[in-house]
Amino acid sequence: MSTTQSDRLRGLLEPLVAAKGLDLEDIEMSKAGKRRMLRIIVDSDEGVELDACAELSREVSDKLDDSDVMGEDEYVLEVSSPGADRPLTEHRHYVRAIDRLVKFQLAEGGELVARILDVDDEGMDLEVPGVKGRKATARRIAFTDIAKARVEIEFNRKDKKEEEA
């Protein structure tokens, strides 16, 4: 997708998405045979429900039909949330990942798996899980020390409410 088309789409759709209390995370365009696939990724601090995606999809479709930004060729529209394992790239992504286990690729090399405890403007406080029965340790990491970060999916972690009960 050309930068101009991407900018036009973002300018057209961002106010619509924001009016729903959502953040426009990404716009992706890809080819699927003769058709094009337009994927709109949205999120919020509370997450995004399926009904909200469906409603937004209808409104985005109407908005695109009323404009010439997609041209005359057919396309498939998909509106979705980013998924649990998406890369963390913005400050708000780290805030939304508080209490989640994250795999960090460090700028100096190496990796770190830790739970985000708190986030501020410079970085975050982490809890590094103990290995082989050892206690977890606290660590501070600056955003400038992170090359990449992605939430790790946990299938067996107890919910905080379950732990407190």
Side-chain angles (χ1 to χ4, degrees):
M1 175 168 51
S2 71
T3 305
T4 306
Q5 184 181 27
S6 177
D7 291 342
R8 286 184 65 206
L9 280 167
R10 187 165 286 280
L12 184 70
L13 301 179
E14 211 152 29
L16 186 63
V17 172
K20 296 285 182 195
L22 302 171
D23 296 316
L24 180 57
E25 293 291 344
D26 200 8
I27 298 173
E28 302 169 357
M29 179 78 80
S30 60
K31 287 269 189 187
K34 291 184 177 187
R35 291 186 179 180
R36 297 173 294 163
M37 168 71 82
L38 175 61
R39 183 171 289 120
I40 310 295
I41 310 294
V42 296
D43 202 4
S44 79
D45 291 343
E46 295 80 35
V48 182
E49 304 232 344
L50 185 59
D51 289 343
C53 284
E55 182 180 329
L56 183 60
S57 179
R58 287 187 291 276
E59 291 182 25
V60 166
S61 179
D62 290 344
K63 191 80 156 174
L64 292 174
D65 288 348
D66 291 343
S67 79
D68 64 346
V69 72
M70 291 301 293
E72 296 295 320
D73 295 335
E74 289 185 25
Y75 65 92
V76 175
L77 174 64
E78 179 182 301
V79 176
S80 68
S81 65
D85 64 343
R86 63 110 178 264
L88 305 177
T89 58
E90 303 283 338
H91 183 271
R92 68 179 177 265
H93 298 163
Y94 291 98
V95 171
R96 291 174 185 159
I98 288 176
D99 292 328
R100 304 285 305 269
L101 197 62
V102 175
K103 183 183 226 176
F104 298 93
Q105 299 293 324
L106 304 176
E108 77 241 9
E111 62 184 39
L112 170 68
V113 176
R115 189 168 310 284
I116 298 176
L117 300 177
D118 193 30
V119 178
D120 59 34
D121 291 341
E122 288 80 40
M124 63 198 90
D125 296 321
L126 305 174
E127 179 184 70
V128 182
V131 179
K132 295 184 180 178
R134 293 189 178 129
K135 284 190 168 190
T137 57
R139 178 168 176 180
R140 174 86 182 158
I141 189 169
F143 288 117
T144 56
D145 295 336
I146 301 168
K148 293 181 183 178
R150 186 178 297 270
V151 170
E152 291 283 283
I153 306 299
E154 294 180 272
F155 294 105
N156 59 353
R157 181 166 189 243
K158 288 184 178 178
D159 189 313
K160 266 188 161 185
K161 291 175 187 165
E162 289 179 39
E163 290 175 0
E164 292 170 359

